[in-house]
Amino acid sequence: MNHPSFVHGVAVSVSWQITSASLTDLIFRATTAALKDSNIDLARVDSIVLSAHDLVDGRSLSSMVTAPAAGAYLRDEIRLAEDGLAAMSLASARIAAGETEFSVIAAWGRASEGNYSHTSRFAFDPFLIQPFGVDEFAVSAWRLSAWIGEHGERLEARQRAHTARAARAARNPRAVCADVRPTVNHPMLASEAPRFADIVVAAVIGRPESGVRIAGVGHSSEASMIGDRNLTRMQALREAVARARTEGRESAGVDVYQLAGPTLADEAMALEAVQLAPAGEGFDAYAALANVNPSGGSESGWCFPTSGLLNFAECYLQLSGRAGGVQLRGPLRRALATGLSPMGGQVAHAIVLEAA
Amino acid sequence: MSRSIAIAGVGQTVYKRRHVEMNSAELVRGAVLEALNDAGLGLDAIGLVVGGVAPDALAGMNHIDLASIARPGIPYFRVNTGGATGSAAFLAARTWIAAGRCDAALVVALERMGHASTAQKVFNSIFDPIYEKDISISTISMVAMRATMLMQEQGYTLDHWAGLAAKNSKSAQLNDTLDHPKLFTAAEVLASPVLAWPIHALEACPMSEGACVMVLVADDLAGERNVAWIHGAAGLSDTYAMGDRMHRPEGSLVELYTLIHSAQKAFTQAGISKPSEQIDCVEIHAPFASAEAMAYTALGLCGERTGPQFADGLISQTERIVVNPSGGPQVANPVSAAALIRIAECAQQVRGRAGRRQKDGIRRAVATGQGGATQFSTCVVLGADRP
């Protein structure tokens, strides 16, 4: 990179069905909180990178109305319809290229106002797949089914991982309180599904030095057709993480992992993909390793396209020693955050953060 | 910006109301292969693919880009800034290369709006659901308000809107990316039905589908290729609330504050101080004649009060600067791709590869992008000379 990017502040808003606030209100509050956390005045921010999706927000070109609430008023702004970690990566590229001094990055999604299972169905082939009612969580169930085919059902390990994840989420002061989950398919258990949430995440990064810097970024993608993929291998995630680690010269290892996935099964298999656990032992490792998804992962709240940026914020809070009830014991030097696109993580993003 | 960046390849499908014979992946594939072939590069040279697809609802499918644009093994993300999607995707790819993350990037913008049975209803859902849907505001009535303001404040007439539409329809006859473009006169525009006064049917852009693809490369990959160099590029966003922009100090709704400042920034990067003298060709992202007129002053092509006279010069073909030699979005408006097409057309003019629509002596060209309620603006300056 030409100019390194430093993280100056974050804000996380995870809620459910707050009827007194519009989506625009929630975005404004989170962005304001991130700026306050960074101690950077909005006047110094010269670019905005957003992550939002029309069909999640329930209107065409959703950022047309919501972008100014994230600071995009008479500022250079771009909106991605992709996981929020991609927005963070693009913002850091803008800093690296010398295009901007400070950037606000925001991602949002309000699961309580829509039906993500229904929305995600429309991403599949309208003739050959949609009639079967396949959605995002069905892909996760297929992934788990494939894993079971390779390694056995491992119900005890899955239960241990669920218990550990739920305990972490219970300690997370930013976790959603409501317990609203999608209907999942066999062999997925209801407890392995995510808790839906209304999520807004905002962050401020800039060229001036701070306590945490972005040390590496990585991205990749894999085949669109589910049948063309090895679902348990998670090739796009594997490559994205490898690239981020290479760029971050991460030879000293990572102290905190925040790995994205709509369900516990996706998160557990991500452990195997990033080589934190041998194949078949992802659930065991999830239960045993306290530094993997200390936030509680999607048990703390999930809504596309926020997960990657939420993971980034959790990593930053850990490295800053401000993660509250889920704070890991230090010293913490490096953290890895990942983000996945729909359907089944066809596109993956990874960022390595490093305490300065 | 430490690295010079250039456009080394362009690929475009034919733009027409509906591509019934090809699915999205097939449309994209043809344009990608054309762009890569034009650049003399293989897919293995590409370090980033940026997709550009605007309202998902238009295509009738969610994440249509994941199945048609993203490529296994290559970093990918999608941009959606409405009408400015194509140019915003271009800016993102340029940033990636400038940051040193790759040496070549592919920008792919795709539009399938011909598959929407209710395109206007999809467009109408961009407006505020509480305050504005009850008054049935639409993209066309939004444009009509601006056209009326221009007539009242700057002296434009119905003849200007009709004359500019006829000018663009004439230019379109030489554009081989268009499927049977209509040719009409100003009188025929004025005789066509009124959609929302003062907008006549023949002035309004058609529904269009197609894909536009571009290969961007860093200077060391450009080598001796025939490229269009990026001399400057910038973007700016504004509030959506049109009422708040009517009479504010920064400039009224029709003064296009965002384009003024995007252009100023891009022109500064390009070393342009007198746009009316230093620019040879402009591709304006304007689906209606009044939108084209708003850009003349914002880009500094004419003085503050001389927009109508500048339009007269374009209509009578006496103006030096070439405006929309492709015919512009008034003759084909695949929403997601339209802003990228403006850049592609400028690139081809600068490279001398615009075919029958090539104009003589184009050394420097400017492309604009507009999105939302004219709240997202981009401006890109391309040149034949290495910066």
Side-chain angles (χ1 to χ4, degrees):
Chain A
M1 288 189 190
N2 301 330
H3 301 288
S5 299
F6 291 89
V7 188
H8 288 263
V10 299
V12 172
S13 165
V14 180
S15 59
W16 183 256
Q17 241 171 13
I18 298 177
T19 54
S20 60
S22 67
L23 175 61
T24 308
D25 292 332
L26 296 177
I27 295 165
F28 180 77
R29 290 173 192 170
T31 304
T32 303
L35 286 164
K36 188 177 178 187
D37 188 50
S38 69
N39 205 25
I40 303 293
D41 191 278
L42 183 59
R44 297 180 67 191
V45 173
D46 49 9
S47 72
I48 312 285
V49 185
L50 306 175
S51 167
H53 195 273
D54 289 356
L55 297 191
V56 174
D57 289 357
R59 65 166 61 162
S60 296
L61 189 48
S62 75
S63 60
M64 184 169 136
V65 175
T66 47
Y73 174 67
L74 302 184
R75 282 188 180 78
D76 189 339
E77 174 242 333
I78 187 166
R79 196 256 293 201
L80 307 188
E82 179 54 64
D83 179 83
L85 205 61
M88 175 56 74
S89 179
L90 178 58
S92 72
R94 302 202 66 181
I95 288 170
E99 295 175 5
T100 185
E101 185 78 1
F102 283 105
S103 188
V104 165
I105 302 93
W108 59 78
R110 200 166 195 187
S112 70
E113 289 190 342
N115 180 336
Y116 189 74
S117 297
H118 187 69
T119 304
S120 67
R121 253 171 238 151
F122 290 94
F124 292 98
D125 185 288
F127 302 106
L128 303 176
I129 302 178
Q130 280 184 23
F132 293 99
V134 175
D135 63 16
E136 176 77 65
F137 308 106
V139 177
S140 297
W142 285 339
R143 172 170 283 139
L144 178 59
S145 179
W147 185 89
I148 288 172
E150 294 171 13
H151 307 290
E153 202 165 20
R154 304 291 314 278
L155 269 174
E156 286 184 12
R158 286 164 61 192
Q159 182 57 46
R160 281 198 302 276
H162 164 66
T163 302
R165 189 170 90 128
R168 291 167 202 170
R171 291 196 305 272
N172 184 349
R174 295 168 293 283
V176 68
C177 296
D179 190 4
V180 180
R181 301 174 194 259
T183 302
V184 290
N185 303 94
H186 182 80
M188 187 82 67
L189 303 174
S191 59
E192 294 172 327
R195 288 189 189 217
F196 280 136
D198 300 340
I199 301 175
V200 183
V201 189
V204 180
I205 66 170
R207 201 186 304 183
E209 291 191 14
S210 72
V212 176
R213 75 180 184 100
I214 294 176
V217 300
H219 307 264
S220 194
S221 46
E222 57 184 307
S224 169
M225 299 296 281
I226 303 295
D228 288 342
R229 297 189 216 167
N230 179 337
L231 281 175
T232 58
R233 185 168 168 79
M234 302 182 85
Q235 184 64 23
L237 177 65
R238 205 171 274 260
E239 291 174 359
V241 169
R243 287 168 182 168
R245 281 175 158 166
T246 302
E247 188 178 295
R249 293 182 291 278
E250 180 252 293
S251 56
V254 168
D255 305 306
V256 187
Y257 294 86
Q258 280 286 158
L259 304 176
T263 70
L264 171 60
D266 300 293
E267 292 176 358
M269 270 172 264
L271 265 75
E272 299 175 16
V274 305
Q275 295 172 335
L276 270 174
E281 295 181 24
F283 289 96
D284 302 277
Y286 201 121
L289 299 173
N291 65 338
V292 173
N293 287 4
S295 71
S298 67
E299 180 73 11
S300 291
W302 186 89
C303 185
F304 177 77
T306 63
S307 300
L309 196 59
L310 184 58
N311 284 337
F312 181 95
E314 290 292 339
C315 285
Y316 172 71
L317 291 172
Q318 287 287 349
L319 294 182
S320 307
R322 296 189 292 139
V326 292
Q327 179 66 49
L328 299 169
R329 289 183 182 169
L332 304 175
R333 176 97 175 118
R334 289 186 186 82
L336 173 71
T338 70
L340 301 174
S341 79
M343 298 289 138
Q346 181 189 341
V347 178
H349 316 281
I351 290 183
V352 174
L353 293 92
E354 185 176 66
Chain B
M1 195 71 61
S2 54
R3 312 173 92 186
S4 294
I5 299 167
I7 298 166
V10 170
Q12 300 190 72
T13 64
V14 165
Y15 302 112
K16 61 181 183 180
R17 186 176 181 86
R18 196 173 187 206
H19 280 276
V20 292
E21 74 287 5
M22 279 193 275
N23 66 29
S24 298
E26 289 167 335
L27 267 180
V28 166
R29 184 173 186 273
V32 165
L33 291 177
E34 184 182 325
L36 288 171
N37 187 48
D38 186 22
L41 294 171
L43 204 53
D44 56 343
I46 301 299
L48 171 73
V49 177
V50 184
V53 178
D56 295 76
L58 278 180
M61 211 178 141
N62 194 358
H63 300 290
I64 195 168
D65 58 308
L66 289 176
S68 56
I69 301 176
R71 298 296 308 159
I74 303 178
Y76 175 79
F77 56 81
R78 166 158 75 106
V79 170
N80 177 359
T81 53
T85 292
S87 53
F90 172 89
L91 292 179
R94 168 180 165 268
T95 294
W96 214 260
I97 297 173
R101 290 190 182 176
C102 69
D103 293 326
L106 204 57
V107 184
V108 182
L110 168 70
E111 182 55 66
R112 296 315 310 258
M113 66 191 299
H115 285 67
S117 57
T118 56
Q120 277 306 320
K121 282 189 178 176
V122 172
F123 283 129
N124 292 355
S125 75
I126 65 178
F127 297 101
D128 188 287
I130 309 297
Y131 299 106
E132 287 166 342
K133 279 188 178 167
D134 283 352
I135 56 172
S136 297
I137 192 168
S138 71
T139 47
I140 293 171
S141 54
M142 179 175 76
V143 170
M145 283 197 293
R146 292 200 188 86
T148 308
M149 278 185 79
L150 283 167
M151 295 169 78
Q152 187 176 23
E153 294 183 3
Q154 297 186 19
Y156 284 98
T157 65
L158 290 176
D159 288 335
H160 285 113
W161 308 148
L164 291 171
K167 174 214 47 146
N168 287 330
S169 85
K170 186 179 176 187
S171 298
Q173 304 309 307
L174 299 176
N175 187 345
D176 58 9
T177 68
L178 306 177
D179 181 47
H180 301 102
K182 289 179 184 169
L183 178 63
F184 43 77
T185 65
E188 287 171 319
V189 175
L190 291 172
S192 65
V194 172
L195 300 178
W197 196 90
I199 310 295
H200 288 78
L202 281 178
E203 192 210 320
C205 59
M207 294 229 306
S208 315
E209 287 192 346
C212 179
V213 178
M214 202 172 282
V215 179
L216 271 62
V217 297
D219 46 8
D220 44 346
L221 251 187
E224 297 306 311
R225 290 181 167 88
N226 176 7
V227 301
W229 292 98
I230 302 171
H231 287 190
L236 196 70
S237 292
D238 205 339
T239 176
Y240 146 76
M242 286 177 280
D244 289 348
R245 289 185 271 161
M246 286 290 187
H247 302 292
R248 66 176 172 181
E250 290 90 349
S252 79
L253 183 63
V254 295
E255 287 173 311
L256 277 184
Y257 179 91
T258 51
L259 185 58
I260 291 172
H261 287 269
S262 298
Q264 284 176 352
K265 194 171 175 183
F267 290 173
T268 300
Q269 293 166 13
I272 293 174
S273 55
K274 293 181 179 175
S276 61
E277 297 174 15
Q278 295 171 278
I279 296 168
D280 305 313
C281 172
V282 184
E283 276 282 343
I284 298 173
H285 186 185
F288 296 83
S290 53
E292 181 178 315
M294 281 195 294
Y296 301 153
T297 311
L299 291 173
L301 304 181
C302 60
E304 279 190 18
R305 296 287 163 194
T306 58
Q309 289 86 346
F310 185 79
D312 288 336
L314 292 175
I315 293 166
S316 62
Q317 296 182 295
T318 56
E319 176 54 50
R320 181 193 70 83
I321 299 173
V322 179
V323 174
N324 287 0
S326 69
Q330 267 192 295
V331 298
N333 189 30
V335 174
S336 307
L340 189 64
I341 295 168
R342 309 280 67 78
I343 302 170
E345 288 293 328
C346 282
Q348 298 301 63
Q349 288 288 344
V350 163
R351 300 168 78 201
R353 289 194 176 185
R356 290 198 300 149
R357 58 194 182 282
Q358 180 69 49
K359 301 296 180 184
D360 293 333
I362 306 295
R363 303 294 297 171
R364 211 163 213 184
V366 170
T368 71
Q370 290 294 146
T374 54
Q375 70 195 89
F376 309 127
S377 294
T378 60
C379 182
V380 175
V381 183
L382 302 178
D385 301 318
R386 185 186 289 259

